[in-house]
Every structure is written in C-alpha cells, then in structure tokens.
Amino acid sequence: GNSVTQMEGPVTLSEEAFLTINCTYTATGYPSLFWYVQYPGEGLQLLLKATKADDKGSNKGFEATYRKETTSFHLEKGSVQVSDSAVYFCALKRGSGSARQLTFGSGTQLTVLP
Amino acid sequence: DAGITQSPRHKVTETGTPVTLRCHQTENHRYMYWYRQDPGHGLRLIHYSYGVKDTDKGEVSDGYSVSRSKTEDFLLTLESATSSQTSVYFCAISEEAYGYTFGSGTRLTVV
C-alpha cells in the first residue's frame, strides 16, 4: 500500500538557519506529492505540491522537488523565521474518482528560536 | 475562508455514550473526508464520501459511522465512545483540484 515516511522531530533551529525535512514515499505508479503545514490550534493548510517527477513545488520560500529515482520529496527553506514554527506533514495522493485519498506522514514539529 | 466548518470545536463525553461530529461546507465540493490526528501517527483516514449517500471506509473506520444526506453536510458518529477515540478530528473537502481544504478540527475527549 501507500505510505509516507518523514524524519522524526522535533526540529529546533535558530532564526535564519537552513531547513531540511526529509520525506520518502512508497506508492505504485506516479502519485502526486504535497507538503501541508499546521499552525497551533488550526487545521492543515496546503504549503506546496508537485504532480510529476522532477517538478518543484514552491511557496513562501519553501521548496520541494519530486524525485522519482529516490522516491523523495524533501522540504527545504534557506532561511527560516520564527513564524515558520509549526508542524509539517508530507502527503501523497494516488487514485482518482472515489479512490482519491491523501496518505500522510506522521508530521515533523519545527520550532524556530529568535 | 474556504467555507468549511466543524462543530463542536471541543467536546468531552463519557465512555459508552454516542457522539456526532458535524462537518459543513459551503463550497459544493463532491468529496468529503474525516481524519483523526494522534501524536506519532499523523492524520489517518476514518471515512470518506464521494457524493450524497456515497461513503466508504478508510484505514481506521472501526467504531465509527458516517452519513451524508446533503452535499454540504458530512456527519461522523461514534456509536459508543471509547477512550481510544480521544483525538482531534479533522474534516476535509476536495474537488477536482489536487489539494484538500481542512476544517479547524474538533478536539474530542472521552473520559
């Protein structure tokens, strides 16, 4: 079946540090890949997505590249801010029609210190 | 906002009692989902719906039932709540676009 594995947290960084959160997946065929972010007390929000191999998703300074050869979709940001403190979820979607479901990783808590 | 609301936002209930959580959307999206979020597990799919009266089970459906009698409402029912169902429950909606829109969640505590 489909599965997503994220690096375990929590991750604590100083402001302006470089961020990488690793994500690898297992799926048949060509899933779409996503990163979602959850701020305290809120639901998940779509951060970025990629729908085919070698696509790069980007938003708010975050980037992730869909690497089919390594089945990975690592999240990166060159300079984090305190406001980036949140939980980040990697997810994949396989199927269409009634089978369109997201499978999530376990989430990575990021804390950015001033 | 995306037009998805969950109610209640918080609930404390006793073991063995029935509980119903409501998800309401104003987006006329076809697909609706119920997830639960637990530490170390991320989000796990409980049930989903692909149209009025069309529902199917997710990976953790035991102890839960759902109903969708109108496009805008998707109800999740715990027939007899147990402590293992203490969790944060999220509803999500989607249409042909790839991404989902999530509600703000319902924090359920079963004592």
Side-chain angles (χ1 to χ4, degrees):
Chain A
N2 301 330
S3 67
V4 176
T5 303
Q6 287 182 236
M7 65 182 284
E8 292 196 11
V11 174
T12 302
L13 296 173
S14 297
E15 205 165 24
E16 298 183 2
F18 184 86
L19 169 71
T20 299
I21 300 178
N22 290 338
C23 170
T24 57
Y25 68 90
T26 301
T28 55
Y30 302 93
S32 297
L33 301 174
F34 306 83
W35 277 99
Y36 281 83
V37 58
Q38 184 182 32
Y39 298 103
E42 299 182 11
L44 279 70
Q45 303 172 25
L46 179 64
L47 181 59
L48 53 84
K49 66 182 182 185
T51 59
K52 60 183 187 297
D54 298 325
D55 268 3
K56 177 184 284 189
S58 62
N59 186 26
K60 300 181 181 179
F62 291 90
E63 293 182 340
T65 301
Y66 187 165
R67 301 286 189 200
K68 188 174 187 304
E69 63 275 14
T70 55
T71 62
S72 65
F73 192 55
H74 305 321
L75 183 68
E76 297 181 335
K77 187 175 186 182
S79 176
V80 294
Q81 305 301 311
V82 172
S83 57
D84 294 326
S85 297
V87 181
Y88 292 82
F89 292 92
C90 185
L92 69 81
K93 185 183 82 71
R94 277 287 288 134
S96 59
S98 63
R100 50 186 303 125
Q101 302 168 20
L102 281 175
T103 300
F104 287 90
S106 57
T108 302
Q109 172 77 56
L110 170 67
T111 301
V112 180
L113 303 176
Chain B
D1 272 359
I4 176 172
T5 55
Q6 292 183 233
S7 59
R9 289 297 310 276
H10 302 271
K11 186 169 181 66
V12 180
T13 192
E14 294 187 349
T15 298
T17 61
V19 177
T20 296
L21 309 183
R22 180 181 184 234
C23 178
H24 178 78
Q25 62 149 328
T26 58
E27 303 297 312
N28 201 35
H29 285 185
R30 178 181 176 190
Y31 301 97
M32 299 185 75
Y33 310 82
W34 277 107
Y35 284 87
R36 60 178 288 174
Q37 183 180 24
D38 304 291
H41 291 279
L43 275 76
R44 293 179 291 174
L45 183 65
I46 304 171
H47 281 279
Y48 64 101
S49 171
Y50 45 96
V52 172
K53 299 192 190 309
D54 290 325
T55 64
D56 207 347
K57 296 179 180 180
E59 63 177 302
V60 291
S61 60
D62 287 349
Y64 302 94
S65 62
V66 290
S67 66
R68 191 167 178 200
S69 59
K70 298 183 291 185
T71 299
E72 58 265 34
D73 288 325
F74 192 33
L75 304 181
L76 176 71
T77 297
L78 291 64
E79 301 291 347
S80 178
T82 68
S83 58
S84 65
Q85 294 175 311
T86 293
S87 186
V88 180
Y89 291 86
F90 286 98
C91 178
I93 61 175
S94 75
E95 197 40 73
E96 293 306 317
Y98 289 102
Y100 285 22
T101 302
F102 284 83
S104 299
T106 295
R107 184 173 295 276
L108 177 67
T109 303
V110 183
V111 299

